[in-house]
Amino acid sequence: MDTNQRLRRLLDERGWTEYKLSKVCGLSQSTLANIFKRNTVPSITTLEVICKGFGITLSQFFADGEMVEMTPELKEVFESWMALTPSQKSAALQMLKAMSQNE
């Protein structure tokens, strides 16, 4: 995977500029300019900061295929799901499927 292409794609998907990314991440514009203009690969630490700004994890950054952002709402659902028993999970899944078919 080309890290810089992936970063550029994430910017494009959000309609962000390098300037906005620098403000969201708290990185200097020169740091991002080195990455994008000079085609340098960011350090893991810098990449973690950038991913946090995008609202994704490093795993999501490097994942192939569709990426789902872990919003606060999804995190709450996931944490609630993890606390359920297997039978409760089955019941909740059936309810969600039934609700999605009614749309």
PDB file of all heavy atoms in Angstrom, residues 81 84 86-100:
ATOM      1  N   TRP A  81     -22.871  -4.245  23.018  1.00  0.00           N
ATOM      2  CA  TRP A  81     -22.915  -5.574  22.401  1.00  0.00           C
ATOM      3  C   TRP A  81     -21.999  -6.545  23.140  1.00  0.00           C
ATOM      4  O   TRP A  81     -22.361  -7.685  23.401  1.00  0.00           O
ATOM      5  CB  TRP A  81     -22.519  -5.469  20.928  1.00  0.00           C
ATOM      6  CG  TRP A  81     -22.431  -6.786  20.225  1.00  0.00           C
ATOM      7  CD1 TRP A  81     -21.315  -7.557  20.047  1.00  0.00           C
ATOM      8  CD2 TRP A  81     -23.494  -7.513  19.608  1.00  0.00           C
ATOM      9  NE1 TRP A  81     -21.622  -8.697  19.363  1.00  0.00           N
ATOM     10  CE2 TRP A  81     -22.951  -8.692  19.071  1.00  0.00           C
ATOM     11  CE3 TRP A  81     -24.853  -7.252  19.456  1.00  0.00           C
ATOM     12  CZ2 TRP A  81     -23.715  -9.626  18.397  1.00  0.00           C
ATOM     13  CZ3 TRP A  81     -25.616  -8.194  18.774  1.00  0.00           C
ATOM     14  CH2 TRP A  81     -25.062  -9.358  18.260  1.00  0.00           C
ATOM     15  N   LEU A  84     -23.367  -8.302  26.245  1.00  0.00           N
ATOM     16  CA  LEU A  84     -24.514  -9.193  26.111  1.00  0.00           C
ATOM     17  C   LEU A  84     -24.101 -10.662  26.173  1.00  0.00           C
ATOM     18  O   LEU A  84     -22.994 -11.027  25.792  1.00  0.00           O
ATOM     19  CB  LEU A  84     -25.233  -8.936  24.778  1.00  0.00           C
ATOM     20  CG  LEU A  84     -25.834  -7.545  24.558  1.00  0.00           C
ATOM     21  CD1 LEU A  84     -26.432  -7.445  23.164  1.00  0.00           C
ATOM     22  CD2 LEU A  84     -26.859  -7.221  25.618  1.00  0.00           C
ATOM     23  N   PRO A  86     -24.659 -14.617  24.805  1.00  0.00           N
ATOM     24  CA  PRO A  86     -24.903 -15.116  23.447  1.00  0.00           C
ATOM     25  C   PRO A  86     -26.381 -15.093  23.049  1.00  0.00           C
ATOM     26  O   PRO A  86     -26.722 -14.730  21.920  1.00  0.00           O
ATOM     27  CB  PRO A  86     -24.354 -16.547  23.480  1.00  0.00           C
ATOM     28  CG  PRO A  86     -23.257 -16.473  24.496  1.00  0.00           C
ATOM     29  CD  PRO A  86     -23.788 -15.523  25.552  1.00  0.00           C
ATOM     30  N   SER A  87     -27.268 -15.447  23.965  1.00  0.00           N
ATOM     31  CA  SER A  87     -28.695 -15.445  23.614  1.00  0.00           C
ATOM     32  C   SER A  87     -29.209 -14.010  23.429  1.00  0.00           C
ATOM     33  O   SER A  87     -30.053 -13.760  22.572  1.00  0.00           O
ATOM     34  CB  SER A  87     -29.526 -16.194  24.660  1.00  0.00           C
ATOM     35  OG  SER A  87     -29.439 -15.563  25.920  1.00  0.00           O
ATOM     36  N   GLN A  88     -28.690 -13.080  24.218  1.00  0.00           N
ATOM     37  CA  GLN A  88     -29.089 -11.681  24.051  1.00  0.00           C
ATOM     38  C   GLN A  88     -28.580 -11.134  22.714  1.00  0.00           C
ATOM     39  O   GLN A  88     -29.277 -10.378  22.034  1.00  0.00           O
ATOM     40  CB  GLN A  88     -28.555 -10.824  25.200  1.00  0.00           C
ATOM     41  CG  GLN A  88     -29.236 -11.076  26.534  1.00  0.00           C
ATOM     42  CD  GLN A  88     -28.526 -10.378  27.679  1.00  0.00           C
ATOM     43  OE1 GLN A  88     -27.300 -10.254  27.701  1.00  0.00           O
ATOM     44  NE2 GLN A  88     -29.323  -9.918  28.650  1.00  0.00           N
ATOM     45  N   LYS A  89     -27.369 -11.525  22.340  1.00  0.00           N
ATOM     46  CA  LYS A  89     -26.812 -11.094  21.048  1.00  0.00           C
ATOM     47  C   LYS A  89     -27.673 -11.607  19.906  1.00  0.00           C
ATOM     48  O   LYS A  89     -27.955 -10.885  18.951  1.00  0.00           O
ATOM     49  CB  LYS A  89     -25.374 -11.571  20.886  1.00  0.00           C
ATOM     50  CG  LYS A  89     -24.386 -10.812  21.739  1.00  0.00           C
ATOM     51  CD  LYS A  89     -22.979 -11.363  21.576  1.00  0.00           C
ATOM     52  CE  LYS A  89     -21.996 -10.610  22.462  1.00  0.00           C
ATOM     53  NZ  LYS A  89     -20.634 -11.132  22.368  1.00  0.00           N
ATOM     54  N   SER A  90     -28.095 -12.858  20.010  1.00  0.00           N
ATOM     55  CA  SER A  90     -28.946 -13.449  18.980  1.00  0.00           C
ATOM     56  C   SER A  90     -30.262 -12.687  18.869  1.00  0.00           C
ATOM     57  O   SER A  90     -30.714 -12.358  17.766  1.00  0.00           O
ATOM     58  CB  SER A  90     -29.196 -14.920  19.297  1.00  0.00           C
ATOM     59  OG  SER A  90     -30.052 -15.488  18.343  1.00  0.00           O
ATOM     60  N   ALA A  91     -30.876 -12.386  20.002  1.00  0.00           N
ATOM     61  CA  ALA A  91     -32.150 -11.649  20.014  1.00  0.00           C
ATOM     62  C   ALA A  91     -31.962 -10.235  19.451  1.00  0.00           C
ATOM     63  O   ALA A  91     -32.782  -9.756  18.656  1.00  0.00           O
ATOM     64  CB  ALA A  91     -32.720 -11.594  21.432  1.00  0.00           C
ATOM     65  N   ALA A  92     -30.884  -9.581  19.843  1.00  0.00           N
ATOM     66  CA  ALA A  92     -30.629  -8.216  19.360  1.00  0.00           C
ATOM     67  C   ALA A  92     -30.398  -8.218  17.854  1.00  0.00           C
ATOM     68  O   ALA A  92     -30.888  -7.341  17.134  1.00  0.00           O
ATOM     69  CB  ALA A  92     -29.430  -7.617  20.086  1.00  0.00           C
ATOM     70  N   LEU A  93     -29.662  -9.203  17.357  1.00  0.00           N
ATOM     71  CA  LEU A  93     -29.399  -9.305  15.929  1.00  0.00           C
ATOM     72  C   LEU A  93     -30.686  -9.542  15.147  1.00  0.00           C
ATOM     73  O   LEU A  93     -30.910  -8.927  14.100  1.00  0.00           O
ATOM     74  CB  LEU A  93     -28.384 -10.408  15.663  1.00  0.00           C
ATOM     75  CG  LEU A  93     -27.799 -10.492  14.269  1.00  0.00           C
ATOM     76  CD1 LEU A  93     -27.175  -9.173  13.847  1.00  0.00           C
ATOM     77  CD2 LEU A  93     -26.756 -11.594  14.201  1.00  0.00           C
ATOM     78  N   GLN A  94     -31.553 -10.407  15.665  1.00  0.00           N
ATOM     79  CA  GLN A  94     -32.842 -10.656  15.008  1.00  0.00           C
ATOM     80  C   GLN A  94     -33.685  -9.375  14.956  1.00  0.00           C
ATOM     81  O   GLN A  94     -34.312  -9.068  13.953  1.00  0.00           O
ATOM     82  CB  GLN A  94     -33.616 -11.761  15.733  1.00  0.00           C
ATOM     83  CG  GLN A  94     -33.055 -13.139  15.522  1.00  0.00           C
ATOM     84  CD  GLN A  94     -33.793 -14.203  16.340  1.00  0.00           C
ATOM     85  OE1 GLN A  94     -34.683 -13.908  17.127  1.00  0.00           O
ATOM     86  NE2 GLN A  94     -33.397 -15.452  16.169  1.00  0.00           N
ATOM     87  N   MET A  95     -33.665  -8.628  16.058  1.00  0.00           N
ATOM     88  CA  MET A  95     -34.425  -7.375  16.098  1.00  0.00           C
ATOM     89  C   MET A  95     -33.885  -6.378  15.069  1.00  0.00           C
ATOM     90  O   MET A  95     -34.638  -5.747  14.349  1.00  0.00           O
ATOM     91  CB  MET A  95     -34.366  -6.767  17.505  1.00  0.00           C
ATOM     92  CG  MET A  95     -35.151  -5.466  17.628  1.00  0.00           C
ATOM     93  SD  MET A  95     -34.915  -4.650  19.208  1.00  0.00           S
ATOM     94  CE  MET A  95     -33.218  -4.119  19.077  1.00  0.00           C
ATOM     95  N   LEU A  96     -32.552  -6.256  14.987  1.00  0.00           N
ATOM     96  CA  LEU A  96     -31.953  -5.320  14.038  1.00  0.00           C
ATOM     97  C   LEU A  96     -32.281  -5.710  12.606  1.00  0.00           C
ATOM     98  O   LEU A  96     -32.575  -4.852  11.767  1.00  0.00           O
ATOM     99  CB  LEU A  96     -30.438  -5.253  14.248  1.00  0.00           C
ATOM    100  CG  LEU A  96     -29.973  -4.531  15.499  1.00  0.00           C
ATOM    101  CD1 LEU A  96     -28.481  -4.737  15.702  1.00  0.00           C
ATOM    102  CD2 LEU A  96     -30.315  -3.057  15.415  1.00  0.00           C
ATOM    103  N   LYS A  97     -32.204  -7.003  12.311  1.00  0.00           N
ATOM    104  CA  LYS A  97     -32.543  -7.475  10.957  1.00  0.00           C
ATOM    105  C   LYS A  97     -33.996  -7.173  10.635  1.00  0.00           C
ATOM    106  O   LYS A  97     -34.309  -6.739   9.523  1.00  0.00           O
ATOM    107  CB  LYS A  97     -32.249  -8.971  10.829  1.00  0.00           C
ATOM    108  CG  LYS A  97     -30.781  -9.278  10.752  1.00  0.00           C
ATOM    109  CD  LYS A  97     -30.544 -10.781  10.650  1.00  0.00           C
ATOM    110  CE  LYS A  97     -29.069 -11.121  10.580  1.00  0.00           C
ATOM    111  NZ  LYS A  97     -28.835 -12.570  10.488  1.00  0.00           N
ATOM    112  N   ALA A  98     -34.890  -7.414  11.579  1.00  0.00           N
ATOM    113  CA  ALA A  98     -36.313  -7.135  11.355  1.00  0.00           C
ATOM    114  C   ALA A  98     -36.552  -5.646  11.141  1.00  0.00           C
ATOM    115  O   ALA A  98     -37.326  -5.252  10.262  1.00  0.00           O
ATOM    116  CB  ALA A  98     -37.146  -7.626  12.541  1.00  0.00           C
ATOM    117  N   MET A  99     -35.856  -4.806  11.916  1.00  0.00           N
ATOM    118  CA  MET A  99     -36.023  -3.365  11.762  1.00  0.00           C
ATOM    119  C   MET A  99     -35.494  -2.881  10.421  1.00  0.00           C
ATOM    120  O   MET A  99     -36.093  -2.006   9.804  1.00  0.00           O
ATOM    121  CB  MET A  99     -35.308  -2.626  12.915  1.00  0.00           C
ATOM    122  CG  MET A  99     -35.983  -2.833  14.269  1.00  0.00           C
ATOM    123  SD  MET A  99     -35.026  -2.177  15.642  1.00  0.00           S
ATOM    124  CE  MET A  99     -35.002  -0.444  15.286  1.00  0.00           C
ATOM    125  N   SER A 100     -34.387  -3.435   9.950  1.00  0.00           N
ATOM    126  CA  SER A 100     -33.814  -2.985   8.690  1.00  0.00           C
ATOM    127  C   SER A 100     -34.654  -3.450   7.503  1.00  0.00           C
ATOM    128  O   SER A 100     -34.639  -2.827   6.437  1.00  0.00           O
ATOM    129  CB  SER A 100     -32.379  -3.445   8.542  1.00  0.00           C
ATOM    130  OG  SER A 100     -32.303  -4.853   8.447  1.00  0.00           O
TER     131      SER A 100
END
